[in-house]
Amino acid sequence: GYDHKGMGITARGAWEAVRRHFREIDIDVQTDPITVVGVGDMSGDVFGNGMLLSQSLRLIAAFDHRDIFLDPNPAAAKSFAERRRLFDLGRSSWADYDRSLISEGGGVFSRSLKTIPLSEQARAALGFDRDEATPTELMQAILKAPADLLWFGGIGTYIRATTETDEDAGDRANDAVRITGTLLRAKAVGEGANLGLTQRGRIEAARAGIRLNTDAIDNSAGVNTSDVEVNIKIALMAPERDGRLDPAARNALLVAMTDEVAALVLRNNQLQTLALSLALRRGAGETGFAMRVMQALEAEGRLDRSVEYLPDDATLSERLRKGEGLTRPEYAVLLAYAKLSLYDALLAGPVPDDPYFDRELQRYFPAALKRRFPDTVKGHRLRREIIATALSNIIVNRGGPALVTRLVDETGADAATIAKAYAITRDAFGLMELNLAIDSLDGEIPGQDQLGLYAEVQDLLANRIVWFIRNLDLSAGISPIVARYREGVSAVLEALPRVLDPGLVGQIEARGDDLTARGMADEPARRLASLKALVSAPDIVRIAETDGHSVPEIAATHFAIEHAFGLDDFVAAVRQVPVADTFDRVALERAAAGISTAHRALTAEVVGGIGAGPDAVSAWITARGAGLTRIREAVEAIAASGLTVSKVVVAASLLADLARRP
C-alpha cells in the first residue's frame, strides 16, 4: 500500500490550501519568504513534511509535547537543510536541532522549565512584550504570533471560541495552552492536523479576518488517497486471479503510480479550496442561496445546524443586515453536505449507468492502470459508486456548495438531469480547458483577478445548465447533444469577428491579447475573452437546427437584434441588481431566461420571414413599425430608470409579448 508519510500526501493537501490562501493576496509561498509558527516537530508526518514543501519558509517558532523551538531570524536555506536532516532522522525532536544554525536570540527550550528568558529578537518575532515567560505563556505567544502562517501538524486542540469553555474543546491536556480565535494574528492557518481548532473557534477567527478552512478540507488528501488505493487494489484483483499480474509486478505497478495518485488526489484539494473562495467572493447573494441549502438539507433530515455550528435563519439574516455572510469554515461544512446529498441522489438514479459518464470513471484512475488493464477499470465492481463520487465532487467543486439547490429552485430538475446538463455545458463549452488555462495564470496576474476569471466560467456554467435543462430533452443519451453543441459553440466563436458589433470585437481582441501577454495560450484566451458573447451560442445553434440557415448567419441576426435592443447590457445589468431575498434572485434569473427565450423567438422570426443578417433585422424593425418601437423604447426606459425585480419582470414580459405578436 501507499506510505502516506513517505508520500507526504496529507501535508501536501493542506499545503494546497495554504497556497490558495496566499495566492489570493498575491504571495507565492514557493518563492516569497513567509514566516511560520506551528505545532509539531520534524519527525511528525504532517508537520515534518509540511515544513519541507517550500524552501522559502522562515520557521520562527514551534512547539511539541517536549520542547519549544525559537529561531527569530532564520536563514531560509540553512534552516531548510536542517529541517530536512531532522526529518530524515526519523525519531528526532527539536532538541536535535543544530544550535549553531539558530539565529541570534533563539534556542530550544524544554517545556519542563519554570521560566524561559526571551531575547529582544524573540520578543520582536512573537510580538511579545516580556523578557521572560513560562513555557505555557511562550506557547500561547507562539499561537498568537503575527506570523504569515500558523501550521498545525501536532496532536491537540489549541484554539476555541470566546463563547466556549476549555471543557467544550474536549482536549484537557492542552487546556492551559489554548487561546481564543479572536487572539490569532497570523494571516492564514493550515490545519494539517485534526481539530487544531474547534469549529466555533474557526468561525470566530474567520470573522476576524483570518484565512482558514476546516481540518476536513485541509487534511482530506490522506483519506482520499486511501480511497483511491482501495479502488485500485479492487481493480487489480482480477488480473491477479487470472495470472496476468504476479505479486511482485502488482507492487511495482502500485509504486510506479504513486506520483499520479498523489496528483489526482491533490487536484481535489485545489478545487475544493477554490470553490470556497468563489462562494465567499459572491458575498450576500451566495449567502442567501446557502440558507436555502441548509433548509433543503434539514428537510432531507440530513443536517442539524446546531451540531455543525451553522447559524439559524434569524442569525444569518442579522449577519446579512450587517453586511456579513457565511464564513469560509461554514461554507466548508456545506460543501461536504452538498456533495453527500448529491452523491446519494446520483447513486439512486440512472446517471452512473450512462455510457457517457464512463469518462468520469476513467479520470479517476491513473493512466498506467487504464493502459495495462482497461477491462478492470471499465468493469470495476464499484463503478457506479466511483462515478457518483466523481460527479458529486466535480459538480459541487466547480459550481459551489449552493449550485444544486439553486438549480432545483430555478428548474425543479432532479439530480440526474442536473448532472447531465452539467456535463453537456462543461464539454460543449470546453470549460475544463478554460479552467486549466486560468490555472496557468497562477502568479502571473493578481489573485483576485484570477478569481474573477474563474467566477466568469462558473457563471456561464450555472446559467447554461439551466438553459439545457429547460430547452432540451435530456432523458436519452447525451453524447449526441454534447457533440452537436460543442461544434455549434466553436462555429459561433469562429464567426464572432464577422457578426459582432466592431466595438465589441475590439474589446474581445484586446482582452484576449492581454490574457496571452500574461501567459495564457491563444485559443483559450480567445474563448475566455468571448464568453459573454458565447452565452448565446446554444440559442443560435437551436435556431440553426430547425431553420436551415448556417450558424454564422443565425449568429449575425441574433447579435444584430441584441444590439438593436441593447439586450447584452440589459441582461448584464439584471444580474447586478442587489436583492436580499433568494427567491428575488431566482425571479431575476427566470426573467433573464425569459428575455433569452424572447430573443431566440425574434431571431427565428427574422430569419424565417425576411432573411439573415443585420440588413434583415433593419427591414424587420421597419416592418414591425410603431408597436416594436414602443416596446423598445419602454425597455430602454426601464433600463435607464434603475433596475428592480419588478422592472426586470415587466421588461421580460414586454419582450415576450413582442415575440408573440408578429
Side-chain angles (χ1 to χ4, degrees):
Y2 290 112
D3 174 5
H4 285 204
K5 183 175 181 180
M7 293 174 70
I9 193 63
T10 303
R12 289 165 68 186
W15 196 247
E16 291 300 331
V18 168
R19 292 180 69 180
R20 164 68 51 201
H21 291 317
F22 283 98
R23 182 182 305 138
E24 290 169 11
I25 54 174
D26 301 324
I27 295 173
D28 183 348
V29 295
Q30 302 307 122
T31 57
D32 297 330
I34 65 167
T35 55
V36 184
V37 295
V39 179
D41 60 70
M42 290 307 300
S43 67
D45 173 6
V46 178
F47 190 91
N49 274 304
M51 292 299 95
L52 295 175
L53 290 173
S54 171
Q55 297 193 36
S56 69
L57 300 185
R58 299 175 64 243
L59 180 64
I60 61 174
F63 63 87
D64 65 2
H65 60 289
R66 299 162 293 192
D67 303 301
I68 301 172
F69 168 79
L70 293 178
D71 191 2
N73 295 291
K78 290 181 180 179
S79 61
F80 178 88
E82 180 63 2
R83 291 198 302 274
R84 167 65 70 184
R85 185 185 72 82
L86 293 186
F87 182 80
D88 291 340
L89 285 177
R91 291 181 174 270
S92 66
S93 72
W94 288 119
D96 296 309
Y97 202 99
D98 183 346
R99 305 299 201 280
S100 69
L101 298 175
I102 296 176
S103 59
E104 183 179 358
V108 178
F109 308 93
S110 171
R111 286 180 58 168
S112 64
L113 294 172
K114 288 188 65 175
T115 60
I116 296 171
L118 294 177
S119 67
E120 180 182 349
Q121 296 89 341
R123 295 197 303 272
L126 298 178
F128 193 72
D129 60 0
R130 289 164 46 196
D131 58 11
E132 69 174 18
T134 66
T136 296
E137 291 169 335
L138 181 52
M139 288 184 287
Q140 289 181 324
I142 290 171
L143 293 171
K144 293 185 286 187
D148 295 315
L149 173 66
L150 171 57
W151 177 257
F152 283 105
I155 297 171
T157 303
Y158 294 93
I159 297 168
R160 61 170 172 82
T162 53
T163 56
E164 293 179 299
T165 65
D166 286 319
E167 185 177 352
D168 292 329
D171 175 27
R172 294 186 63 183
N174 291 297
D175 282 353
V177 179
R178 192 172 300 112
I179 65 170
T180 62
T182 55
L183 298 176
L184 283 177
R185 290 187 287 174
K187 288 187 177 73
V189 176
E191 199 172 353
N194 290 324
L195 273 176
L197 306 83
T198 68
Q199 178 66 355
R200 284 174 173 162
R202 295 182 191 113
I203 294 167
E204 184 172 273
R207 294 185 74 185
I210 309 298
R211 294 172 177 268
L212 77 167
N213 303 306
T214 61
D215 54 352
I217 292 289
D218 284 4
N219 65 38
S220 63
V223 175
N224 289 350
T225 298
S226 296
D227 291 342
V228 174
E229 178 182 339
V230 167
N231 287 323
I232 288 173
K233 288 177 176 177
I234 289 173
L236 293 177
M237 289 171 67
E240 286 182 90
R241 280 196 305 266
D242 62 26
R244 286 181 288 165
L245 192 67
D246 62 35
R250 168 195 179 275
N251 293 341
L253 178 59
L254 285 171
V255 171
M257 294 188 295
T258 301
D259 288 346
E260 191 174 356
V261 167
L264 290 168
V265 166
L266 293 176
R267 186 61 175 160
N268 192 49
N269 289 78
Q270 295 160 4
L271 296 183
Q272 286 190 129
T273 55
L274 175 58
L276 297 178
S277 293
L278 289 173
L280 280 177
R281 186 181 187 276
R282 295 187 181 281
E286 190 70 12
T287 301
F289 283 115
M291 187 186 297
R292 282 287 303 125
V293 174
M294 290 187 276
Q295 292 166 352
L297 290 168
E298 286 172 323
E300 291 179 28
R302 189 181 293 273
L303 173 68
D304 183 334
R305 292 197 217 186
S306 62
V307 170
E308 298 293 353
Y309 307 110
L310 290 168
D312 58 27
D313 288 353
T315 302
L316 197 49
S317 296
E318 178 61 19
R319 280 201 210 171
L320 286 170
R321 190 185 66 78
K322 296 177 179 178
E324 299 180 31
L326 284 183
T327 64
R328 196 177 181 97
E330 290 167 321
Y331 273 122
V333 172
L334 284 188
L335 192 82
Y337 272 95
K339 289 181 179 182
L340 288 170
S341 178
L342 182 57
Y343 168 83
D344 287 344
L346 291 174
L347 190 61
V351 161
D353 302 312
D354 189 320
Y356 191 82
F357 292 107
D358 182 66
R359 65 198 64 205
E360 310 305 327
L361 182 73
Q362 298 295 324
R363 291 188 184 109
Y364 181 88
F365 288 105
L369 177 64
K370 293 181 290 188
R371 184 171 58 251
R372 290 188 58 183
F373 305 109
D375 58 312
T376 68
V377 171
K378 193 169 183 61
H380 199 287
R381 75 180 190 213
L382 296 178
R383 178 184 187 278
R384 298 186 89 257
E385 289 81 0
I386 292 170
I387 290 173
T389 298
L391 278 173
S392 58
N393 273 337
I394 196 61
I395 290 172
V396 176
N397 282 345
R398 284 304 187 189
L403 176 68
V404 174
T405 300
R406 178 176 176 177
L407 292 172
V408 171
D409 283 347
E410 286 192 40
T411 68
D414 61 12
T417 303
I418 289 170
K420 289 178 179 180
Y422 164 82
I424 295 168
T425 305
R426 178 193 66 188
D427 297 341
F429 281 91
L431 300 189
M432 290 178 65
E433 295 78 10
L434 277 186
N435 278 312
L436 287 171
I438 299 171
D439 292 345
S440 73
L441 298 180
D442 283 358
E444 300 298 325
I445 64 174
Q448 293 302 312
D449 290 353
Q450 188 182 32
L451 269 187
L453 296 178
Y454 286 122
E456 286 183 48
V457 175
Q458 191 179 68
D459 285 342
L460 182 140
L461 174 69
N463 182 280
R464 295 297 86 179
I465 286 176
V466 172
W467 190 95
F468 284 112
I469 290 172
R470 285 186 175 145
N471 289 280
L472 299 182
D473 178 5
L474 306 184
S475 59
I478 61 173
S479 186
I481 298 174
V482 173
R484 189 163 72 248
Y485 279 87
R486 180 168 53 219
E487 181 181 349
V489 169
S490 294
V492 172
L493 179 65
E494 292 303 316
L496 288 180
R498 304 189 303 277
V499 301
L500 276 183
D501 177 79
L504 291 176
V505 172
Q507 292 175 22
I508 289 172
E509 290 177 347
R511 192 177 188 213
D513 290 344
D514 178 64
L515 290 169
T516 54
R518 304 287 190 110
M520 187 179 285
D522 288 345
E523 198 284 330
R526 183 165 61 103
R527 188 176 289 257
L528 187 57
S530 305
L531 274 192
K532 185 178 177 182
L534 287 178
V535 168
S536 300
D539 284 306
I540 293 167
V541 173
R542 192 172 181 204
I543 297 168
E545 285 179 339
T546 58
D547 180 81
H549 285 82
S550 69
V551 166
E553 289 175 320
I554 300 296
T557 312
H558 191 84
F559 290 120
I561 292 174
E562 180 178 87
H563 183 68
F565 283 85
L567 294 181
D568 52 345
D569 291 335
F570 186 82
V571 172
V574 166
R575 296 205 162 92
Q576 299 303 314
V577 175
V579 290
D581 183 81
T582 301
F583 287 100
D584 281 342
R585 175 56 59 191
V586 172
L588 285 172
E589 291 296 338
R590 291 187 71 87
I595 293 169
S596 174
T597 300
H599 187 180
R600 185 174 72 228
L602 294 174
T603 302
E605 179 186 326
V606 173
V607 296
I610 298 178
D615 290 342
V617 171
S618 297
W620 168 75
I621 290 172
T622 300
R624 290 292 297 264
L628 182 148
T629 300
R630 282 194 299 273
I631 288 177
R632 183 164 65 171
E633 290 175 347
V635 171
E636 289 173 350
I638 289 171
S641 67
L643 292 181
T644 63
V645 175
S646 56
K647 289 178 181 179
V648 173
V649 170
V650 169
S653 66
L654 286 171
L655 289 167
D657 288 343
L658 182 64
R660 284 193 294 266
R661 294 199 303 265

